[in-house]
Amino acid sequence: MERRILASSYLVLLVFALLVLKLFNLQIIRGEEYKKVSDNNRLKIVRRPAPRGIIYDRNGMAFVSDMPFFDASAVKKGLPEDWNTLFSLSSLLNISTETLKAILNKPPVNNSDEIKLKENLSFDEVATLEARKMEFPGLQVDVRTGRKYLYGALAGHVLGYLNRLTPGQLKNDDFSDVPQEAFVGQYGAEKFYDDLLRGVAGGEIIEVDAMGREIRVVSFEPSIKGKDIRLTIDMMTQLEAERSLAGKTGAVVAVDPQTGEILALASSPSFDPNLFSGGISHDEWSSLADNPDKPLLNRAIQSRYPPASTFKVITAIAALEQGIITEDTTFDCRGSLKIGGRDVGCWQKKGHGRIGLHRALAESCDVYFYEIGKRININTLADYAQRFGLGRTSGIDINGEITGMVPTSEWKERVKHEKWYMGETVSASIGQGYMTATPLQMAMLTAAVVNGGRLIKPSILMRDEGGPSLNEESVRVRAETLDIIMSGMRGAVQERSGTGWSANSKLTSIGGKTGTAQVVGKDSFSKGYNKKFKDHAWFISFAPVNNAEIAVAVFVENGGFGGVAAAPIAKNVIEAYMKSKTENEKLRLEKLKEMTEKSMPEIVNEASGTESSEPGSGD
């Protein structure tokens, strides 16, 4: 009997000792670890993106505002997944039960056990969910600050858009302080100046119950709003540029030639950045990305085209500087010139007769520049083109700019393994052949001609707002040469025989140069009309003539004659800028409201009435 009692006592002691050891392990050895686990289970850390800075135009008119967006989310472990619950919840969210199931099967974000069920709820959906969310444990409505682009597609390629962090950005230390659910700049000014606009994210530590419902805020760190910025864009000038391009494919760039500040930068067709504000759907993205007209392409800086007769400005400068011609040099234009046994024609089939440089620029005589092409070396021509910024990026503060092309004999030997022929120089002298440029490059070239020979780095952000400092280089051309060129450009617009006559304005004096870039050979085009074979239209311009305040380059893809399709657009843009400088804010807002309320067909119809077919508007 005593032996049994003794054995039982040892057994009880052994069990007790094991319990003591277990408690020692739980509370002493692993106590801190389990305490952290417990805290994490009842505390939720929420990081809040900061409101972004507002983007204004140069006159203080807001392009964008911040506005609340509402999303539905749920704590996965708290949400019953029986069929009735899923059916009822999917009905509230206006999504299918299958879609809801698929969402719930996705891994939660940030290991928080929270699942985003639907983004961008309508106000009706928010009201319904708030009224019935007690029926769905773990369901919650989140509010976040998003972007509203106040005038839709206006300046879409300049402003850009927001989207969630890309896989590359998630690994980039520059974005380490950005909440994973935040929207950041992915295009245009929103991207280039994202570090200014983004601000500093804040956060909260929230105590929640087992269903994930908030009990109290344990700690709060306020976010710091992003910096407001003021662009160099003049909203009224931008609006006129886009209105004039409506229904066309092309680009307009307007710049202050004295400072390099971009006044308008339009590309058509465009897109509405609001599509991205709440997270773009797959269908919406496909409609943009697969659109054959490429609305996401910024043609002002990302498309290169033969500059056609607008390049005669460079050819003339090179010839004058090299002593190949003088201001008084004349050639005889009989409508064509024989080059290497082949007749190359002037756009004026009957010929211009005996013609000097001023008229050759004003009336865009091809034969005059063929004669220069016979006398100048392609590498000399390329040197002057490069001095004025062609063949290289301008350094504008928008991502994605391309270089264009300035051919040389070395380039052709290296790339095509062929020697350069004189006939190709003749072609290059009128901006055809391998020579290509972007509309931005042509605008900056024009600015350098009319500001005394300073090639300035363009900018879309005002310098006193953190924009790039003034950066310029001399094109190393005599002032007398630039005066001769400007005189010819003035004649193109203000003389009845000038090819840019349709840009003549009663509001201000305009100078310019037309260009018509041949897309296919005339023989091919004559075999049957097809719009895609129609020539491209160019016009570069400046105003006022005696003290230029604005330089404009217009390009219309398959637009036909530059004097018909592009010059009237430049006139509209220049006049809009001149008027804008004298208008007060109230008048600006009234005009903006009137224009942005019109439908696209109305704008297209208005724009079609601006084209001119007056004499002297060829090339």
Side-chain angles (χ1 to χ4, degrees):
M1 186 64 180
E2 289 182 356
R3 292 177 63 186
R4 289 183 180 178
I5 293 172
L6 187 61
S8 298
S9 298
Y10 284 145
L11 181 61
V12 169
L13 288 173
L14 177 62
V15 171
F16 183 75
L18 290 173
L19 287 173
V20 170
L21 288 173
K22 184 68 175 177
L23 286 172
F24 182 81
N25 180 56
L26 289 173
Q27 296 197 359
I28 304 302
I29 298 178
R30 305 189 63 184
E32 191 63 29
E33 176 186 345
Y34 286 124
K35 183 175 183 299
K36 288 182 180 176
V37 172
S38 174
D39 287 345
N40 288 339
N41 283 338
R42 63 183 176 82
L43 297 178
K44 182 170 75 171
I45 300 173
V46 180
R47 301 200 65 202
R48 306 287 189 196
R52 289 180 73 82
I54 302 300
I55 302 176
Y56 296 93
D57 87 334
R58 65 186 298 113
N59 299 304
M61 297 178 68
F63 275 113
V64 304
S65 67
D66 286 339
M67 63 178 292
F69 284 80
F70 300 94
D71 304 330
S73 64
V75 178
K76 191 174 179 181
K77 68 181 179 183
L79 189 67
E81 296 191 35
D82 60 278
W83 190 90
N84 286 333
T85 300
L86 294 180
F87 178 78
S88 299
L89 182 56
S90 63
S91 298
L92 284 183
L93 295 170
N94 292 316
I95 60 177
S96 69
T97 307
E98 290 71 25
T99 301
L100 180 57
K101 283 182 179 177
I103 292 172
L104 290 173
N105 285 329
K106 291 181 179 177
V109 176
N110 294 337
N111 298 318
S112 64
D113 201 32
E114 284 188 6
I115 295 287
K116 189 77 74 180
L117 301 179
K118 186 178 181 181
E119 297 179 322
N120 308 327
L121 301 173
S122 67
F123 286 113
D124 288 343
E125 289 174 327
V126 172
T128 303
L129 286 175
E130 288 289 356
R132 296 185 57 187
K133 73 179 183 182
M134 293 302 291
E135 301 173 25
F136 306 95
L139 177 66
Q140 57 194 32
V141 176
D142 305 318
V143 59
R144 59 182 168 85
T145 301
R147 204 56 139 178
K148 172 70 175 177
Y149 297 88
L150 299 175
Y151 304 105
L154 181 66
H157 289 94
V158 177
L159 300 176
Y161 59 76
L162 306 179
N163 214 337
R164 286 202 168 83
L165 292 165
T166 64
Q169 289 169 332
L170 285 169
K171 300 175 184 174
N172 188 331
D173 290 343
D174 292 342
F175 296 89
S176 60
D177 62 338
V178 179
Q180 290 190 19
E181 286 290 282
F183 282 67
V184 299
Q186 301 289 6
Y187 192 91
E190 294 275 27
K191 178 177 183 178
F192 201 93
Y193 291 110
D194 184 70
D195 56 342
L196 292 178
L197 293 163
R198 187 195 310 159
V200 180
E204 295 172 309
I205 298 178
I206 302 171
E207 185 178 359
V208 296
D209 63 16
M211 295 295 103
R213 290 173 296 215
E214 179 177 325
I215 297 174
R216 66 187 178 96
V217 176
V218 176
S219 67
F220 172 73
E221 181 182 354
S223 59
I224 302 174
K225 180 179 176 293
K227 175 181 168 58
D228 296 342
I229 63 173
R230 194 159 52 96
L231 301 183
T232 59
I233 301 294
D234 179 88
M235 195 180 290
M236 302 311 300
T237 308
Q238 179 74 28
L239 180 65
E240 182 55 49
E242 298 196 18
R243 188 195 74 85
S244 297
L245 275 177
K248 304 178 178 67
T249 299
V252 172
V253 179
V255 59
D256 182 332
Q258 309 303 330
T259 64
E261 294 171 354
I262 298 295
L263 304 171
L265 190 148
S267 178
S268 177
S270 187
F271 64 95
D272 186 347
N274 287 307
L275 288 171
F276 296 84
S277 293
I280 190 168
S281 69
H282 179 270
D283 289 344
E284 289 171 333
W285 171 254
S286 295
S287 70
L288 289 174
D290 299 337
N291 188 326
D293 292 328
K294 297 180 171 51
L296 290 174
L297 179 68
N298 187 345
R299 288 175 166 79
I301 66 170
Q302 294 179 313
S303 289
R304 58 186 188 185
Y305 311 88
S309 291
T310 58
F311 188 77
K312 290 172 182 171
V313 167
I314 295 296
T315 304
I317 289 172
L320 287 166
E321 288 291 295
Q322 291 296 308
I324 295 171
I325 61 170
T326 69
E327 184 179 8
D328 300 322
T329 299
T330 62
F331 294 109
D332 189 24
C333 172
R334 297 179 179 274
S336 67
L337 186 69
K338 192 173 287 295
I339 304 289
R342 186 170 68 93
D343 285 334
V344 287
C346 181
W347 74 269
Q348 181 61 273
K349 296 184 185 304
K350 65 181 181 182
H352 289 91
R354 177 60 61 175
I355 187 170
L357 178 58
H358 178 87
R359 276 188 59 212
L361 284 169
E363 300 175 25
S364 200
C365 175
D366 291 326
V367 167
Y368 191 96
F369 288 90
Y370 294 153
E371 293 284 3
I372 295 177
K374 288 167 56 180
R375 294 163 172 80
I376 198 168
N377 184 284
I378 183 60
N379 297 329
T380 301
L381 199 56
D383 175 37
Y384 282 92
Q386 290 163 351
R387 293 188 194 188
F388 281 84
L390 302 191
R392 53 179 165 142
T393 56
S394 69
I396 190 172
D397 40 353
I398 302 177
N399 297 94
E401 183 186 13
I402 64 171
T403 59
M405 177 69 196
V406 175
T408 63
S409 57
E410 183 276 332
W411 167 82
K412 191 180 179 194
E413 182 72 33
R414 173 170 48 84
V415 175
K416 296 187 172 295
H417 309 294
E418 297 174 359
K419 70 176 185 179
W420 187 270
Y421 295 100
M422 185 266 283
E424 293 172 309
T425 308
V426 170
S427 182
S429 69
I430 62 164
Q432 293 282 173
Y434 299 113
M435 191 78 68
T436 59
T438 67
L440 174 64
Q441 288 173 329
M442 296 309 295
M444 301 315 298
L445 179 158
T446 308
V449 169
V450 302
N451 70 10
R454 295 179 295 128
L455 182 65
I456 304 176
K457 180 180 178 179
S459 172
I460 62 168
L461 184 63
M462 300 294 288
R463 294 198 171 86
D464 56 2
E465 299 280 340
S469 57
L470 184 64
N471 187 327
E472 63 182 47
E473 58 186 89
S474 171
V475 297
R476 291 172 284 126
V477 170
R478 292 174 297 145
E480 309 90 89
T481 296
L482 298 177
D483 288 342
I484 294 169
I485 301 301
M486 284 191 287
S487 175
M489 294 176 74
R490 182 172 60 242
V493 176
Q494 298 183 13
E495 295 170 10
R496 287 290 297 185
S497 58
T499 53
W501 171 256
S502 58
N504 198 11
S505 169
K506 295 179 181 177
L507 185 66
T508 185
S509 58
I510 297 176
K513 181 70 197 77
T514 55
T516 304
Q518 194 172 334
V519 176
V520 297
K522 289 182 170 57
D523 291 343
S524 300
F525 184 69
S526 65
K527 291 177 181 176
Y529 176 79
N530 188 325
K531 185 182 177 183
K532 71 178 182 180
F533 295 145
K534 195 174 179 182
D535 293 338
H536 300 321
W538 277 101
F539 190 65
I540 56 174
S541 55
F542 62 97
V545 165
N546 292 328
N547 185 20
E549 299 175 20
I550 182 172
V552 178
V554 177
F555 175 81
V556 181
E557 198 170 299
N558 304 121
F561 289 120
V564 176
I569 294 176
K571 173 188 173 185
N572 293 342
V573 171
I574 289 171
E575 290 186 342
Y577 178 64
M578 294 301 174
K579 292 175 184 175
S580 175
K581 292 195 306 176
T582 61
E583 290 172 346
N584 60 34
E585 184 175 352
K586 181 181 178 183
L587 186 57
R588 291 170 190 271
L589 289 172
E590 287 176 354
K591 291 177 69 173
L592 196 62
K593 183 171 184 292
E594 177 189 351
M595 288 300 301
T596 52
E597 284 181 346
K598 291 182 178 179
S599 67
M600 185 55 72
E602 289 176 316
I603 293 175
V604 171
N605 287 336
E606 279 188 7
S608 65
T610 64
E611 292 188 353
S612 168
S613 59
E614 291 189 45
S617 58
D619 192 26

